[in-house]
Amino acid sequence: MTPVRTLGLPQHSPAVDPGALPARVTIWEVGARDGLQNESTVVGVDVKQEFLRRLAAAGLTVLEATSFVSPRWVPQLADAAELLAALPRLPGVRYPVLVPNERGLDRAVEAGVADIAIFASATESFARRNLNRSMDEQFAMFEPVVRRAREAGLRVRGYLSMCFGDPWEGPADPASVTAAGRRLLDLGCEQLSLGDTIGVATPGQVETLLRSFGTAGVPTAQLAVHFHDTYGQALSNTYTALRAGVSTVDSAAGGLGGCPFAGSATGNLATEDLVWMLDGLGIEHGVDLDALVRTSVWMAERLGRPSASRVVTALGGDS
Ligand code: HMG
Ligand code: MG
């Protein structure tokens, strides 16, 4: 299929006020972790390894690879150590992994990881469902993880889920979300990723929450955004975050993703859709879109269903 980009449409149309947007965005690719944790079938380690290899070849440099969580809770990622051992170490490529507790940290360190992410909930209901802990208990569980990881020289990201709404508790209160995010940063996380786990946010909420973090003294440079696309708002929400100065965006190749402990969560913002928008805005990202689309078409064949990404659908027809 001829890529639509070559049909004479204005491919590159920078924003009216480019100063209000970052010149470069770091894409934090979560397809192998957020995507494959949610598959009903367990994807083999050989396919995961090849998926990550292709994503790196397409130019992605931050590849969240897997989780060192309880294999009873997430059997899809029980092969975390085996996968890490099989991944090529490439210059400039990071493979962060999710770690919930000290047992997970021990396993991650043994596997040689240099980058971890802890993951908290902004609501009691999801903390219980996702971590089997209350909100206070989750922070107590993370404290030794972050301390030991930092002492060992690891990079530590903090995720905060349910930042905009929760299926059990309804719309989120920005002040409580900001307080929970602050706790993660105070533990020693260098970056905080704000998660719309069930994809309900709209741009006004994103603006309000980012302003709330700013008022609380959190530099925008420490924030990332993580939008699921349940209601088709992920790209608009991302644009809003970019205009507020955020320059790290989470997304998943092909729009894979979801959370096994929040039934209403669907896929993440598709990396291809993000790259298309960044290209249009003239924002650097370092990714080869055609190679990425081919990767998602390849992965869709492995999973036995078409990609949810609009850009993959538009460009990937005959690959
Ligand atoms: P628990 O059952 O309370 O664990 O689960 P426990 O501490 O009582 O331990 C029970 C057993 O599990 C013990 O084994 C432990 O050793 C073992 P036993 O003594 O019975 O033989 N165990 C482990 N084994 C391997 N690795 C470990 C580990 N931990 C305990 N790390 C726990 C608590 C936190 C472990 C569990 O709830 C869990 O693994 N949860 C993970 C859930 C998850 O992965 N969710 C998806 C990721 S979050 C997400 O997707 C959102 C995000 O994308 C952002 C967004 O979208 O908002 C990040
Ligand atoms: Mg997620």
Side-chain angles (χ1 to χ4, degrees):
M1 184 188 210
T2 309
V4 178
R5 284 172 297 148
T6 63
L7 295 182
L9 297 172
Q11 184 200 338
H12 190 266
S13 169
V16 178
D17 176 11
L21 287 164
R24 185 178 174 86
V25 158
T26 299
I27 301 178
W28 189 291
E29 167 62 46
V30 299
R33 191 281 302 171
D34 204 325
L36 301 184
Q37 76 182 7
N38 202 45
E39 286 300 315
S40 49
T41 54
V42 176
V43 175
V45 75
D46 50 335
V47 172
K48 290 175 178 168
Q49 179 202 349
E50 179 62 13
F51 184 39
L52 285 159
R53 192 195 66 72
R54 288 175 185 237
L55 292 171
L60 289 152
T61 53
V62 189
L63 296 165
E64 196 168 277
T66 185
S67 302
F68 286 88
V69 297
S70 161
R72 277 212 289 266
W73 282 61
V74 186
Q76 291 91 333
L77 304 185
D79 57 6
E82 202 187 332
L83 176 62
L84 260 291
L87 289 179
R89 298 298 187 259
L90 303 166
V93 173
R94 298 164 55 188
Y95 298 114
V97 299
L98 257 55
V99 164
N101 54 15
E102 288 194 90
R103 172 91 183 93
L105 180 64
D106 291 340
R107 291 174 58 213
V109 167
E110 203 174 314
V113 310
D115 245 284
I116 66 161
I118 57 168
F119 50 103
S121 170
T123 67
E124 285 290 347
S125 304
F126 189 61
R128 295 248 174 235
R129 282 172 172 83
N130 199 42
L131 294 164
N132 200 23
R133 300 287 184 276
S134 68
M135 276 183 74
D136 281 341
E137 286 166 349
Q138 68 178 354
F139 292 114
M141 180 167 76
F142 298 140
E143 190 278 325
V145 175
V146 180
R147 183 173 33 79
R148 285 182 45 206
R150 295 299 297 260
E151 281 165 10
L154 272 56
R155 300 175 79 156
V156 183
R157 167 186 247 212
Y159 275 106
L160 188 61
S161 287
M162 303 296 177
C163 286
F164 300 94
D166 170 300
W168 308 279
E169 299 183 21
D173 164 38
S176 330
V177 174
T178 306
R182 235 318 9 137
R183 285 178 80 171
L184 286 176
L185 291 169
D186 290 346
L187 284 180
C189 294
E190 63 185 66
Q191 186 179 67
L192 177 65
S193 176
L194 303 173
D196 183 14
T197 319
I198 54 169
V200 289
T202 50
Q205 281 177 289
V206 174
E207 233 176 270
T208 303
L209 187 62
L210 291 174
R211 204 173 302 127
S212 171
F213 272 101
T215 306
V218 176
T220 317
Q222 270 193 294
L223 297 175
V225 287
H226 180 105
F227 295 117
H228 285 260
D229 203 24
T230 318
Y231 292 89
Q233 305 295 302
L235 206 51
S236 328
N237 290 336
T238 301
Y239 182 66
T240 304
L242 296 180
R243 288 202 77 92
V246 172
S247 62
T248 301
V249 177
D250 301 2
S251 62
L256 296 171
C259 180
F261 308 102
S264 45
T266 61
N268 288 81
L269 168 64
T271 308
E272 293 83 357
D273 299 10
L274 171 63
V275 165
W276 181 273
M277 181 178 79
L278 296 178
D279 277 345
L281 291 168
I283 297 175
E284 280 179 45
H285 50 72
V287 176
D288 173 342
L289 181 58
D290 291 331
L292 181 59
V293 167
R294 282 197 300 275
T295 299
S296 287
V297 170
W298 173 86
M299 195 62 198
E301 283 163 4
R302 308 276 114 27
L303 296 172
R305 59 162 196 283
S307 162
S309 159
R310 305 290 285 267
V311 171
V312 172
T313 306
L315 298 182
D318 296 332
S319 315

